[in-house]
Amino acid sequence: MSPKHIEGRHGPLHWLFETSLLLKGVFAALEAVAGAALLFITHGAILRAVDWLTRKELIEDPLDPLAAHVTHLADRFSADSQHFYALYLLTHGLVKLVVVILLARRIAAAYPLAIGVFGLFIAYQLHRWSVTHSPMMLALSAFDALLIWLTCAIFRIGVLCTAVRMLGQEYAIQKRKEVRQ
């Protein structure tokens, strides 16, 4: 393994890190796909789909809270909002996906990059939470904080293991030179 890569260890901490990366990668891919879909689906098609999904329920029970809430959200969902969410989800998902792929490949530079990127995501999510009070923002922030902690731990362990291995190689090279002399 080159100095540009971090050695992998197979303990419970590493397993938790790999599992978190897998989840983050899956959600990042879904985010990017949702963003791309919002770019290509017309605003009218979204409104028609919501109408089709809620019409039967609202006919049966005009006071159905879920159907009424979904219809209300769709009515407030403007074309400008659709464009914003499309670009946000697409870029947010792609950035996370790139970081996750770099971490999965154990590229050393990806660890500090991931800590910075996920830290910025936490800052934005907490800002959104202060505005919307959505528990999902807190849950996402907690997951990102866990991933930052795991990234720090794995990075430290990997750097130490790589350094020890490189020192061992240097020591072996030095011993071979001494034997030849």
Side-chain angles (χ1 to χ4, degrees), residues 24 28 31 88-100 113-129 136-138 140-145 147-148:
K24 195 72 159 168
E31 238 181 309
Y88 175 78
L89 289 171
L90 185 61
T91 56
H92 191 253
L94 289 176
V95 166
K96 283 195 299 189
L97 201 53
V98 166
V99 169
V100 165
L113 173 68
I115 292 165
V117 167
F118 295 142
L120 289 173
F121 288 162
I122 288 173
Y124 180 73
Q125 288 157 185
L126 290 178
H127 164 71
R128 292 295 304 155
W129 174 80
M136 183 57 77
M137 290 295 118
L138 290 178
L140 289 171
S141 296
F143 185 73
D144 284 344
L147 200 51
I148 287 173

